[in-house]
Amino acid sequence: MADPQEVLSRRVQSALGAAFGPEYADTDPVIRPSQFADYQANAALALAKRLGRKPREVSAAIMEHLDVSDVCSSVEVSGPGFVNLTLRDDWIAGQARQLLDDERLGVPVQERQSIPLDYSAPNVAKEMHVGHLRTTVVGDSLARTLEFLGHDVVRQNHIGDWGTPFGMLIEHLLEVGEDSPEADLVTTDPNAFYQAARTKFDSSGPEPDGFAARARRRVVALQGGDEETLRLWRKLVGLSKVYFNKVYTELGVTLTDEHLAGESTYNDMLADVCAELEAKGIAEVSDGALCVFLEGFTGREDKPVPLIVRKSDGGYGYATTDLATVRHRVENLKADRILYVVGAPQAMHFKMVWETARKAGWLPENVETVHVQIGNVLGSDGKILRTRSGAPVRLVALLEEAVERAAAVVRENRPDLSAEEQAAIARQVGIGAVKYADLSVAHDTEYTFDFDRMLALTGNTGPYLQYAQARIRSIFRKGGLEPERARGEIAIGHPSERELALKLLAFGGVVAQVGDLLQPHRLCAYLFDLAQTLTAFYEHCPVLTAPTEAERESRLALVAVALRVLVQGLDLLGVEAPEYM
């Protein structure tokens, strides 16, 4: 089975080569869906200038060499030179039937690449907030999709686990006791632990044995590799791992401890990074700091903006660590493509880091780096979503509320289910609603967080798609049949059957496009269209009460494919598919 658009592209390209010479065989045939046919090839308009001929003449030459009789029922030129292509019903039916036997549902296996994927990146001893939601959810969907397409995805959770705050955090841990209830807050309410340490630090006087002075000395000990300080640091990181994993489990993302690649990972490389940049004449000392000045990066009054790789006090910053990560990902992880799912405001920083890495020879031209920019989550006031006190919204609290709200809906709609079943569905629906709402908008745009809209059973929402697949499961339950047992031949007799089959055939191409463009919202849009197509199909084409046994078997086979596509598509988004709704 194949994506019709892909099949037609290959056939038209072959015709271009035959009509105008082999140098035209790789020309984009510009196959697009059409309101006048299933697809149209628009290549003639672009080729007319190159060939010095009229577009309709070019179209006629294409048609003369176009061999699609086994695929298309009609081919005709329209307008200024479009080639309209209408697919044969029996070809569509045959391709849809093949999907039943294809475990990949038409999704291609692409040429394997090594793809380090940097996402989530919370801070040790700090609460994950709504700002972490998008990078975690978008990153995880891309990881799932790229792996399904056959790539070797190396998840990199670049947590903030190093730096000056750890002086005060370690000192606070010593004061409260490593096994105290206060220490355990790192696993349940990290902000409380952090704020307690910060308050002590800010209120501490200048005395040499005071908290602030001890905290500063502790930073020096940490960076100097003092074993006892490192032990305490590891304790804090370990407590934070417990917290991170609780959130990741609740969110249903694929990050684990083995994917942690925090700032501390690169400590031993930072001095070498600076030394090599200086030796190669890429970095220079300016006002005591080691800086890289790149052409084209200017700030106010056209003053050059430096990339500071070593501060005037000898410390290292984000730029140094990020240069070390590039080097590691190219040299050790053998990256072909490096993806950073990080907030949009970091765009300039990454451009400067990558250009510096390319100048240093650490980032070859054949390795692609991509900043998958993440937009803000807004509240109903149009500003960044915060609590009434102005603090960032805790991610755990947000997820708990989503599940509670979903539970109320499930209790009302399905009082026949046990409390355990209701709770399980509520979690799937609540978490799925939050994740889908995030993924269904372009990752680089802002969106307004609205529980009522997210949890609605209508519209482009997670619950609507979960309901669409649950409804198919209920059809099979009523028919006393397992979906896997639907093996009938597919025949197309009604336009709604044709539209559903065509929509199912497009799945593979959409998934490939999501992996190529790194845009999960395209998969959301496809699944929403599929669910709407199913609704129209049910209106016109009864399944269990179809007029003939052959039609019943055909329609059961069609909805069995639709179920698998919906479940697989939701899984690539990281959204669960409940048995009941």
Side-chain angles (χ1 to χ4, degrees), residues 303-336:
K303 287 185 178 174
V305 174
L307 185 73
I308 301 171
V309 292
R310 189 177 63 228
K311 300 174 193 172
S312 55
D313 65 1
Y316 305 112
Y318 292 128
T320 336
T321 307
D322 283 336
L323 283 165
T325 66
V326 172
R327 203 172 178 180
H328 167 69
R329 289 165 185 176
V330 172
E331 292 177 5
N332 302 324
L333 302 181
K334 309 299 181 192
D336 297 299

PDB file of all heavy atoms in Angstrom, residues 303-336:
ATOM      1  N   LYS A 303      26.417  47.761  18.582  1.00  0.00           N
ATOM      2  CA  LYS A 303      27.586  47.228  19.285  1.00  0.00           C
ATOM      3  C   LYS A 303      27.591  45.712  19.170  1.00  0.00           C
ATOM      4  O   LYS A 303      26.539  45.080  19.291  1.00  0.00           O
ATOM      5  CB  LYS A 303      27.549  47.647  20.756  1.00  0.00           C
ATOM      6  CG  LYS A 303      27.877  49.116  20.975  1.00  0.00           C
ATOM      7  CD  LYS A 303      27.954  49.439  22.454  1.00  0.00           C
ATOM      8  CE  LYS A 303      28.330  50.903  22.648  1.00  0.00           C
ATOM      9  NZ  LYS A 303      28.271  51.303  24.065  1.00  0.00           N
ATOM     10  N   PRO A 304      28.773  45.108  18.936  1.00  0.00           N
ATOM     11  CA  PRO A 304      28.814  43.648  18.818  1.00  0.00           C
ATOM     12  C   PRO A 304      28.380  42.963  20.115  1.00  0.00           C
ATOM     13  O   PRO A 304      28.725  43.404  21.206  1.00  0.00           O
ATOM     14  CB  PRO A 304      30.285  43.338  18.505  1.00  0.00           C
ATOM     15  CG  PRO A 304      31.038  44.611  18.652  1.00  0.00           C
ATOM     16  CD  PRO A 304      30.079  45.744  18.776  1.00  0.00           C
ATOM     17  N   VAL A 305      27.589  41.888  19.962  1.00  0.00           N
ATOM     18  CA  VAL A 305      27.148  41.098  21.128  1.00  0.00           C
ATOM     19  C   VAL A 305      28.127  39.940  21.293  1.00  0.00           C
ATOM     20  O   VAL A 305      28.294  39.130  20.375  1.00  0.00           O
ATOM     21  CB  VAL A 305      25.718  40.557  20.921  1.00  0.00           C
ATOM     22  CG1 VAL A 305      25.328  39.632  22.064  1.00  0.00           C
ATOM     23  CG2 VAL A 305      24.729  41.704  20.812  1.00  0.00           C
ATOM     24  N   PRO A 306      28.779  39.819  22.457  1.00  0.00           N
ATOM     25  CA  PRO A 306      29.742  38.730  22.619  1.00  0.00           C
ATOM     26  C   PRO A 306      29.062  37.436  23.083  1.00  0.00           C
ATOM     27  O   PRO A 306      28.045  37.466  23.777  1.00  0.00           O
ATOM     28  CB  PRO A 306      30.664  39.255  23.723  1.00  0.00           C
ATOM     29  CG  PRO A 306      29.780  40.122  24.565  1.00  0.00           C
ATOM     30  CD  PRO A 306      28.743  40.714  23.633  1.00  0.00           C
ATOM     31  N   LEU A 307      29.631  36.327  22.675  1.00  0.00           N
ATOM     32  CA  LEU A 307      29.284  35.036  23.278  1.00  0.00           C
ATOM     33  C   LEU A 307      30.349  34.804  24.344  1.00  0.00           C
ATOM     34  O   LEU A 307      31.526  34.578  24.016  1.00  0.00           O
ATOM     35  CB  LEU A 307      29.303  33.917  22.231  1.00  0.00           C
ATOM     36  CG  LEU A 307      28.843  32.541  22.733  1.00  0.00           C
ATOM     37  CD1 LEU A 307      27.328  32.533  22.951  1.00  0.00           C
ATOM     38  CD2 LEU A 307      29.218  31.440  21.748  1.00  0.00           C
ATOM     39  N   ILE A 308      29.972  34.916  25.603  1.00  0.00           N
ATOM     40  CA  ILE A 308      30.948  34.819  26.702  1.00  0.00           C
ATOM     41  C   ILE A 308      31.162  33.351  27.053  1.00  0.00           C
ATOM     42  O   ILE A 308      30.244  32.672  27.513  1.00  0.00           O
ATOM     43  CB  ILE A 308      30.472  35.610  27.936  1.00  0.00           C
ATOM     44  CG1 ILE A 308      30.282  37.090  27.563  1.00  0.00           C
ATOM     45  CG2 ILE A 308      31.463  35.463  29.093  1.00  0.00           C
ATOM     46  CD1 ILE A 308      29.617  37.934  28.644  1.00  0.00           C
ATOM     47  N   VAL A 309      32.387  32.860  26.814  1.00  0.00           N
ATOM     48  CA  VAL A 309      32.672  31.447  27.080  1.00  0.00           C
ATOM     49  C   VAL A 309      33.416  31.232  28.400  1.00  0.00           C
ATOM     50  O   VAL A 309      33.482  30.113  28.895  1.00  0.00           O
ATOM     51  CB  VAL A 309      33.448  30.785  25.910  1.00  0.00           C
ATOM     52  CG1 VAL A 309      32.559  30.690  24.688  1.00  0.00           C
ATOM     53  CG2 VAL A 309      34.727  31.533  25.580  1.00  0.00           C
ATOM     54  N   ARG A 310      34.003  32.315  28.931  1.00  0.00           N
ATOM     55  CA  ARG A 310      34.548  32.244  30.301  1.00  0.00           C
ATOM     56  C   ARG A 310      34.374  33.625  30.922  1.00  0.00           C
ATOM     57  O   ARG A 310      34.793  34.626  30.346  1.00  0.00           O
ATOM     58  CB  ARG A 310      36.029  31.836  30.299  1.00  0.00           C
ATOM     59  CG  ARG A 310      36.562  31.544  31.706  1.00  0.00           C
ATOM     60  CD  ARG A 310      38.014  31.079  31.680  1.00  0.00           C
ATOM     61  NE  ARG A 310      38.884  32.113  31.153  1.00  0.00           N
ATOM     62  CZ  ARG A 310      39.827  31.915  30.208  1.00  0.00           C
ATOM     63  NH1 ARG A 310      39.997  30.710  29.694  1.00  0.00           N
ATOM     64  NH2 ARG A 310      40.565  32.920  29.770  1.00  0.00           N
ATOM     65  N   LYS A 311      33.741  33.663  32.092  1.00  0.00           N
ATOM     66  CA  LYS A 311      33.471  34.953  32.732  1.00  0.00           C
ATOM     67  C   LYS A 311      34.758  35.560  33.287  1.00  0.00           C
ATOM     68  O   LYS A 311      35.773  34.860  33.431  1.00  0.00           O
ATOM     69  CB  LYS A 311      32.449  34.754  33.863  1.00  0.00           C
ATOM     70  CG  LYS A 311      31.115  34.190  33.396  1.00  0.00           C
ATOM     71  CD  LYS A 311      30.245  33.890  34.612  1.00  0.00           C
ATOM     72  CE  LYS A 311      29.050  33.034  34.219  1.00  0.00           C
ATOM     73  NZ  LYS A 311      28.298  32.579  35.393  1.00  0.00           N
ATOM     74  N   SER A 312      34.680  36.832  33.629  1.00  0.00           N
ATOM     75  CA  SER A 312      35.869  37.525  34.142  1.00  0.00           C
ATOM     76  C   SER A 312      36.348  36.929  35.469  1.00  0.00           C
ATOM     77  O   SER A 312      37.522  37.046  35.824  1.00  0.00           O
ATOM     78  CB  SER A 312      35.582  39.018  34.312  1.00  0.00           C
ATOM     79  OG  SER A 312      34.445  39.203  35.128  1.00  0.00           O
ATOM     80  N   ASP A 313      35.439  36.251  36.210  1.00  0.00           N
ATOM     81  CA  ASP A 313      35.851  35.613  37.470  1.00  0.00           C
ATOM     82  C   ASP A 313      36.368  34.193  37.263  1.00  0.00           C
ATOM     83  O   ASP A 313      36.639  33.467  38.224  1.00  0.00           O
ATOM     84  CB  ASP A 313      34.687  35.612  38.475  1.00  0.00           C
ATOM     85  CG  ASP A 313      33.502  34.762  38.014  1.00  0.00           C
ATOM     86  OD1 ASP A 313      33.587  34.150  36.922  1.00  0.00           O
ATOM     87  OD2 ASP A 313      32.484  34.721  38.722  1.00  0.00           O
ATOM     88  N   GLY A 314      36.491  33.796  35.989  1.00  0.00           N
ATOM     89  CA  GLY A 314      37.002  32.458  35.684  1.00  0.00           C
ATOM     90  C   GLY A 314      35.934  31.386  35.573  1.00  0.00           C
ATOM     91  O   GLY A 314      36.218  30.239  35.223  1.00  0.00           O
ATOM     92  N   GLY A 315      34.669  31.740  35.882  1.00  0.00           N
ATOM     93  CA  GLY A 315      33.574  30.756  35.813  1.00  0.00           C
ATOM     94  C   GLY A 315      33.072  30.559  34.392  1.00  0.00           C
ATOM     95  O   GLY A 315      33.362  31.346  33.483  1.00  0.00           O
ATOM     96  N   TYR A 316      32.318  29.501  34.208  1.00  0.00           N
ATOM     97  CA  TYR A 316      31.763  29.170  32.892  1.00  0.00           C
ATOM     98  C   TYR A 316      30.253  29.369  32.911  1.00  0.00           C
ATOM     99  O   TYR A 316      29.607  29.209  33.947  1.00  0.00           O
ATOM    100  CB  TYR A 316      32.081  27.721  32.521  1.00  0.00           C
ATOM    101  CG  TYR A 316      33.557  27.389  32.573  1.00  0.00           C
ATOM    102  CD1 TYR A 316      34.064  26.524  33.541  1.00  0.00           C
ATOM    103  CD2 TYR A 316      34.446  27.955  31.664  1.00  0.00           C
ATOM    104  CE1 TYR A 316      35.413  26.217  33.601  1.00  0.00           C
ATOM    105  CE2 TYR A 316      35.806  27.652  31.696  1.00  0.00           C
ATOM    106  CZ  TYR A 316      36.281  26.790  32.672  1.00  0.00           C
ATOM    107  OH  TYR A 316      37.626  26.495  32.722  1.00  0.00           O
ATOM    108  N   GLY A 317      29.692  29.670  31.743  1.00  0.00           N
ATOM    109  CA  GLY A 317      28.248  29.875  31.643  1.00  0.00           C
ATOM    110  C   GLY A 317      27.589  28.911  30.676  1.00  0.00           C
ATOM    111  O   GLY A 317      28.186  27.914  30.257  1.00  0.00           O
ATOM    112  N   TYR A 318      26.341  29.239  30.315  1.00  0.00           N
ATOM    113  CA  TYR A 318      25.574  28.378  29.410  1.00  0.00           C
ATOM    114  C   TYR A 318      26.285  28.183  28.067  1.00  0.00           C
ATOM    115  O   TYR A 318      26.251  27.105  27.484  1.00  0.00           O
ATOM    116  CB  TYR A 318      24.186  28.969  29.150  1.00  0.00           C
ATOM    117  CG  TYR A 318      23.276  28.978  30.351  1.00  0.00           C
ATOM    118  CD1 TYR A 318      22.626  30.143  30.746  1.00  0.00           C
ATOM    119  CD2 TYR A 318      23.067  27.820  31.097  1.00  0.00           C
ATOM    120  CE1 TYR A 318      21.789  30.164  31.851  1.00  0.00           C
ATOM    121  CE2 TYR A 318      22.236  27.822  32.203  1.00  0.00           C
ATOM    122  CZ  TYR A 318      21.608  28.998  32.578  1.00  0.00           C
ATOM    123  OH  TYR A 318      20.785  29.018  33.669  1.00  0.00           O
ATOM    124  N   ALA A 319      26.914  29.241  27.560  1.00  0.00           N
ATOM    125  CA  ALA A 319      27.543  29.147  26.239  1.00  0.00           C
ATOM    126  C   ALA A 319      28.631  28.076  26.232  1.00  0.00           C
ATOM    127  O   ALA A 319      28.730  27.278  25.288  1.00  0.00           O
ATOM    128  CB  ALA A 319      28.123  30.498  25.835  1.00  0.00           C
ATOM    129  N   THR A 320      29.444  28.054  27.298  1.00  0.00           N
ATOM    130  CA  THR A 320      30.536  27.076  27.377  1.00  0.00           C
ATOM    131  C   THR A 320      29.972  25.658  27.404  1.00  0.00           C
ATOM    132  O   THR A 320      30.433  24.765  26.682  1.00  0.00           O
ATOM    133  CB  THR A 320      31.380  27.309  28.656  1.00  0.00           C
ATOM    134  OG1 THR A 320      31.247  28.658  29.076  1.00  0.00           O
ATOM    135  CG2 THR A 320      32.823  26.964  28.419  1.00  0.00           C
ATOM    136  N   THR A 321      28.962  25.462  28.250  1.00  0.00           N
ATOM    137  CA  THR A 321      28.347  24.135  28.363  1.00  0.00           C
ATOM    138  C   THR A 321      27.700  23.721  27.044  1.00  0.00           C
ATOM    139  O   THR A 321      27.838  22.579  26.607  1.00  0.00           O
ATOM    140  CB  THR A 321      27.283  24.128  29.484  1.00  0.00           C
ATOM    141  OG1 THR A 321      27.866  24.625  30.674  1.00  0.00           O
ATOM    142  CG2 THR A 321      26.762  22.736  29.731  1.00  0.00           C
ATOM    143  N   ASP A 322      27.018  24.666  26.393  1.00  0.00           N
ATOM    144  CA  ASP A 322      26.339  24.327  25.136  1.00  0.00           C
ATOM    145  C   ASP A 322      27.334  24.013  24.024  1.00  0.00           C
ATOM    146  O   ASP A 322      27.057  23.177  23.154  1.00  0.00           O
ATOM    147  CB  ASP A 322      25.390  25.456  24.725  1.00  0.00           C
ATOM    148  CG  ASP A 322      24.111  25.449  25.551  1.00  0.00           C
ATOM    149  OD1 ASP A 322      23.758  24.377  26.075  1.00  0.00           O
ATOM    150  OD2 ASP A 322      23.457  26.501  25.681  1.00  0.00           O
ATOM    151  N   LEU A 323      28.483  24.673  24.031  1.00  0.00           N
ATOM    152  CA  LEU A 323      29.525  24.325  23.047  1.00  0.00           C
ATOM    153  C   LEU A 323      30.051  22.914  23.321  1.00  0.00           C
ATOM    154  O   LEU A 323      30.271  22.130  22.392  1.00  0.00           O
ATOM    155  CB  LEU A 323      30.673  25.340  23.118  1.00  0.00           C
ATOM    156  CG  LEU A 323      30.380  26.691  22.456  1.00  0.00           C
ATOM    157  CD1 LEU A 323      31.391  27.733  22.896  1.00  0.00           C
ATOM    158  CD2 LEU A 323      30.381  26.548  20.931  1.00  0.00           C
ATOM    159  N   ALA A 324      30.215  22.580  24.598  1.00  0.00           N
ATOM    160  CA  ALA A 324      30.678  21.230  24.957  1.00  0.00           C
ATOM    161  C   ALA A 324      29.652  20.173  24.558  1.00  0.00           C
ATOM    162  O   ALA A 324      30.024  19.076  24.118  1.00  0.00           O
ATOM    163  CB  ALA A 324      30.970  21.153  26.451  1.00  0.00           C
ATOM    164  N   THR A 325      28.344  20.522  24.687  1.00  0.00           N
ATOM    165  CA  THR A 325      27.319  19.535  24.299  1.00  0.00           C
ATOM    166  C   THR A 325      27.364  19.277  22.802  1.00  0.00           C
ATOM    167  O   THR A 325      27.209  18.134  22.361  1.00  0.00           O
ATOM    168  CB  THR A 325      25.894  20.001  24.676  1.00  0.00           C
ATOM    169  OG1 THR A 325      25.539  21.145  23.921  1.00  0.00           O
ATOM    170  CG2 THR A 325      25.746  20.282  26.137  1.00  0.00           C
ATOM    171  N   VAL A 326      27.563  20.327  22.006  1.00  0.00           N
ATOM    172  CA  VAL A 326      27.648  20.146  20.547  1.00  0.00           C
ATOM    173  C   VAL A 326      28.799  19.202  20.222  1.00  0.00           C
ATOM    174  O   VAL A 326      28.655  18.243  19.453  1.00  0.00           O
ATOM    175  CB  VAL A 326      27.851  21.496  19.826  1.00  0.00           C
ATOM    176  CG1 VAL A 326      28.140  21.275  18.344  1.00  0.00           C
ATOM    177  CG2 VAL A 326      26.629  22.382  19.981  1.00  0.00           C
ATOM    178  N   ARG A 327      29.926  19.489  20.838  1.00  0.00           N
ATOM    179  CA  ARG A 327      31.124  18.675  20.584  1.00  0.00           C
ATOM    180  C   ARG A 327      30.881  17.209  20.955  1.00  0.00           C
ATOM    181  O   ARG A 327      31.211  16.286  20.196  1.00  0.00           O
ATOM    182  CB  ARG A 327      32.268  19.265  21.414  1.00  0.00           C
ATOM    183  CG  ARG A 327      33.631  18.943  20.901  1.00  0.00           C
ATOM    184  CD  ARG A 327      34.681  19.738  21.665  1.00  0.00           C
ATOM    185  NE  ARG A 327      36.002  19.395  21.188  1.00  0.00           N
ATOM    186  CZ  ARG A 327      37.108  19.922  21.666  1.00  0.00           C
ATOM    187  NH1 ARG A 327      37.049  20.828  22.625  1.00  0.00           N
ATOM    188  NH2 ARG A 327      38.294  19.569  21.185  1.00  0.00           N
ATOM    189  N   HIS A 328      30.291  17.003  22.128  1.00  0.00           N
ATOM    190  CA  HIS A 328      29.993  15.641  22.600  1.00  0.00           C
ATOM    191  C   HIS A 328      29.025  14.929  21.662  1.00  0.00           C
ATOM    192  O   HIS A 328      29.203  13.749  21.321  1.00  0.00           O
ATOM    193  CB  HIS A 328      29.412  15.720  24.015  1.00  0.00           C
ATOM    194  CG  HIS A 328      28.779  14.459  24.495  1.00  0.00           C
ATOM    195  ND1 HIS A 328      29.497  13.318  24.788  1.00  0.00           N
ATOM    196  CD2 HIS A 328      27.473  14.140  24.720  1.00  0.00           C
ATOM    197  CE1 HIS A 328      28.671  12.355  25.172  1.00  0.00           C
ATOM    198  NE2 HIS A 328      27.439  12.833  25.140  1.00  0.00           N
ATOM    199  N   ARG A 329      27.975  15.650  21.239  1.00  0.00           N
ATOM    200  CA  ARG A 329      26.944  15.019  20.423  1.00  0.00           C
ATOM    201  C   ARG A 329      27.453  14.661  19.028  1.00  0.00           C
ATOM    202  O   ARG A 329      27.005  13.674  18.445  1.00  0.00           O
ATOM    203  CB  ARG A 329      25.705  15.929  20.363  1.00  0.00           C
ATOM    204  CG  ARG A 329      24.983  15.966  21.695  1.00  0.00           C
ATOM    205  CD  ARG A 329      23.974  17.083  21.842  1.00  0.00           C
ATOM    206  NE  ARG A 329      23.431  17.105  23.209  1.00  0.00           N
ATOM    207  CZ  ARG A 329      22.587  18.011  23.673  1.00  0.00           C
ATOM    208  NH1 ARG A 329      22.173  19.008  22.883  1.00  0.00           N
ATOM    209  NH2 ARG A 329      22.158  17.949  24.918  1.00  0.00           N
ATOM    210  N   VAL A 330      28.388  15.444  18.522  1.00  0.00           N
ATOM    211  CA  VAL A 330      28.975  15.131  17.210  1.00  0.00           C
ATOM    212  C   VAL A 330      30.020  14.028  17.334  1.00  0.00           C
ATOM    213  O   VAL A 330      29.982  13.025  16.617  1.00  0.00           O
ATOM    214  CB  VAL A 330      29.589  16.393  16.568  1.00  0.00           C
ATOM    215  CG1 VAL A 330      30.369  16.025  15.306  1.00  0.00           C
ATOM    216  CG2 VAL A 330      28.500  17.406  16.226  1.00  0.00           C
ATOM    217  N   GLU A 331      30.964  14.205  18.277  1.00  0.00           N
ATOM    218  CA  GLU A 331      32.100  13.285  18.362  1.00  0.00           C
ATOM    219  C   GLU A 331      31.722  11.939  18.972  1.00  0.00           C
ATOM    220  O   GLU A 331      32.143  10.889  18.487  1.00  0.00           O
ATOM    221  CB  GLU A 331      33.230  13.919  19.182  1.00  0.00           C
ATOM    222  CG  GLU A 331      33.886  15.106  18.484  1.00  0.00           C
ATOM    223  CD  GLU A 331      34.958  15.775  19.335  1.00  0.00           C
ATOM    224  OE1 GLU A 331      35.273  15.256  20.440  1.00  0.00           O
ATOM    225  OE2 GLU A 331      35.466  16.830  18.911  1.00  0.00           O
ATOM    226  N   ASN A 332      30.926  11.958  20.048  1.00  0.00           N
ATOM    227  CA  ASN A 332      30.633  10.719  20.779  1.00  0.00           C
ATOM    228  C   ASN A 332      29.311  10.077  20.399  1.00  0.00           C
ATOM    229  O   ASN A 332      29.200   8.850  20.370  1.00  0.00           O
ATOM    230  CB  ASN A 332      30.670  10.975  22.288  1.00  0.00           C
ATOM    231  CG  ASN A 332      32.018  11.519  22.747  1.00  0.00           C
ATOM    232  OD1 ASN A 332      33.048  11.127  22.218  1.00  0.00           O
ATOM    233  ND2 ASN A 332      32.013  12.432  23.702  1.00  0.00           N
ATOM    234  N   LEU A 333      28.294  10.906  20.140  1.00  0.00           N
ATOM    235  CA  LEU A 333      26.984  10.348  19.774  1.00  0.00           C
ATOM    236  C   LEU A 333      26.819  10.203  18.266  1.00  0.00           C
ATOM    237  O   LEU A 333      25.802   9.697  17.803  1.00  0.00           O
ATOM    238  CB  LEU A 333      25.858  11.232  20.346  1.00  0.00           C
ATOM    239  CG  LEU A 333      25.861  11.425  21.865  1.00  0.00           C
ATOM    240  CD1 LEU A 333      24.679  12.290  22.301  1.00  0.00           C
ATOM    241  CD2 LEU A 333      25.838  10.087  22.596  1.00  0.00           C
ATOM    242  N   LYS A 334      27.828  10.661  17.507  1.00  0.00           N
ATOM    243  CA  LYS A 334      27.837  10.523  16.032  1.00  0.00           C
ATOM    244  C   LYS A 334      26.572  11.107  15.409  1.00  0.00           C
ATOM    245  O   LYS A 334      25.922  10.488  14.565  1.00  0.00           O
ATOM    246  CB  LYS A 334      27.995   9.054  15.614  1.00  0.00           C
ATOM    247  CG  LYS A 334      29.147   8.321  16.271  1.00  0.00           C
ATOM    248  CD  LYS A 334      30.481   8.964  15.939  1.00  0.00           C
ATOM    249  CE  LYS A 334      31.651   8.229  16.574  1.00  0.00           C
ATOM    250  NZ  LYS A 334      32.899   9.004  16.479  1.00  0.00           N
ATOM    251  N   ALA A 335      26.223  12.302  15.832  1.00  0.00           N
ATOM    252  CA  ALA A 335      24.972  12.920  15.401  1.00  0.00           C
ATOM    253  C   ALA A 335      24.957  13.242  13.914  1.00  0.00           C
ATOM    254  O   ALA A 335      25.951  13.700  13.352  1.00  0.00           O
ATOM    255  CB  ALA A 335      24.738  14.207  16.194  1.00  0.00           C
ATOM    256  N   ASP A 336      23.795  12.998  13.290  1.00  0.00           N
ATOM    257  CA  ASP A 336      23.528  13.487  11.935  1.00  0.00           C
ATOM    258  C   ASP A 336      22.675  14.754  11.992  1.00  0.00           C
ATOM    259  O   ASP A 336      22.745  15.609  11.108  1.00  0.00           O
ATOM    260  CB  ASP A 336      22.769  12.428  11.115  1.00  0.00           C
ATOM    261  CG  ASP A 336      23.589  11.164  10.925  1.00  0.00           C
ATOM    262  OD1 ASP A 336      24.674  11.263  10.320  1.00  0.00           O
ATOM    263  OD2 ASP A 336      23.165  10.094  11.392  1.00  0.00           O
TER     264      ASP A 336
END
